[in-house]
Amino acid sequence: MSFSTSRFLVVFFMFTLAANFGQASSNDPVSQKVMGFLNTAVQKFLQKYPEATHTITLRPFKGKLENCPQDLQIKSNMAHKPPVGVIRLNVECPGLWKTYVVAEVEVLLSVVLSQQNLSRGDVITAGLLQVQRISMSKLRGRYFTDVQQLEGRQVNRAIPVGRVIQETTLVPQYLVHKGKPVSIQSGNGALFVSMMGVALESGLLDDVIRVRNRSSGKIIDARVVSENKVTAGL
């Protein structure tokens, strides 16, 4: 069984056969279909992470499955979350049998970590950082994949050596500052309006903040798009 993208490492089956479990192998048609379903879902998700690699481990099937002469129906619990971690699949051969399959998907990302202890107030340079591959299941919040994204940023609390650098550990890079003037852009196509306002909150890129229109005094919600500039609907 082969897949077209060499970046992805797929480990098909790693398990010890127990007496009450049916055996599965890469030549088993049911196993192949389940693995194909999983690999398609994972590769679609990883389009946002082109440098990622992943492994898929399929646990033994419960009971012995007969070959299915028709298309398998496969449903998963991945509808509202990434296909990462422990995944349960409901597999059905219509009219013949139903079972569930458990798989483990591990995704590895290249992530920026501290190369030495960092103190509050330190300004980050490339020499203070390192890049390692980390399991996505261990990552929380906003992390960074490129050292250049962090150069010149200031640390707002201590970061131990080997710790993943997160946005929350850095002094915010606000594009809009509370109490400062902002340009409010509104409209699209032929109808486009620009007006001045005052930010009632500080905001990072893509944050939605409250802004007061200087002319009307009206308070609106607007999205931060660049330094001292926001957009809002008409």
Side-chain angles (χ1 to χ4, degrees):
M1 188 174 184
S2 62
F3 297 95
S4 59
T5 304
S6 60
R7 288 175 178 168
F8 299 130
L9 172 64
V10 183
V11 178
F12 288 95
F13 307 100
M14 296 185 294
F15 53 80
T16 301
L17 183 64
N20 62 333
F21 285 92
Q23 185 174 4
S25 72
S26 59
N27 295 321
D28 173 27
V30 176
S31 302
Q32 290 181 349
K33 291 176 183 178
V34 171
M35 290 297 296
F37 175 87
L38 282 170
N39 194 65
T40 298
V42 174
Q43 290 197 27
K44 182 177 179 180
F45 169 69
L46 291 183
Q47 289 176 358
K48 298 180 291 185
Y49 308 95
E51 299 304 318
T53 61
H54 74 272
T55 62
I56 301 176
T57 303
L58 189 64
R59 295 181 184 174
F61 297 153
K62 187 174 182 179
K64 185 176 181 179
L65 301 181
E66 299 177 8
N67 187 32
C68 185
Q70 51 192 308
D71 290 338
L72 289 178
Q73 295 182 1
I74 304 175
K75 298 180 180 179
S76 74
N77 61 352
M78 299 183 294
H80 303 294
K81 66 177 185 178
V84 177
V86 177
I87 297 171
R88 175 174 170 139
L89 301 170
N90 293 314
V91 183
E92 179 180 357
C93 182
L96 292 179
W97 50 260
K98 295 180 181 180
T99 189
Y100 69 87
V101 177
V102 178
E104 298 177 32
V105 178
E106 182 177 49
V107 173
L108 297 176
L109 297 176
S110 294
V111 179
V112 181
L113 291 75
S114 56
Q115 189 159 263
Q116 63 184 59
N117 293 324
L118 301 177
S119 302
R120 182 176 181 179
D122 285 349
V123 176
I124 294 177
T125 62
L128 300 176
L129 305 173
Q130 58 181 317
V131 177
Q132 290 185 12
R133 300 191 73 77
I134 302 291
S135 173
M136 182 178 281
S137 63
K138 298 179 180 180
L139 298 173
R140 299 291 183 272
R142 185 188 171 192
Y143 47 86
F144 299 88
T145 58
D146 187 346
V147 170
Q148 292 183 347
Q149 294 174 300
L150 289 164
E151 289 192 90
R153 296 291 300 271
Q154 189 175 22
V155 177
N156 72 358
R157 66 170 182 259
I159 303 175
V161 61
R163 183 69 55 86
V164 173
I165 306 294
Q166 295 181 299
E167 183 66 50
T168 54
T169 62
L170 305 173
V171 174
Q173 281 189 314
Y174 291 124
L175 294 177
V176 171
H177 296 269
K178 181 178 179 180
K180 298 296 183 180
V182 292
S183 173
I184 305 171
Q185 309 291 321
S186 183
N188 54 63
L191 184 59
F192 188 84
V193 179
S194 179
M195 64 203 83
M196 293 304 298
V198 177
L200 302 181
E201 300 172 287
S202 296
L204 304 168
L205 181 65
D206 287 332
D207 281 351
V208 175
I209 64 172
R210 293 180 304 136
V211 176
R212 177 180 285 110
N213 185 320
R214 274 186 171 176
S215 299
S216 65
K218 183 179 179 181
I219 297 176
I220 60 174
D221 290 331
R223 185 178 301 278
V224 178
V225 293
S226 62
E227 189 172 5
N228 299 322
K229 183 179 292 186
V230 298
T231 61
L234 289 173

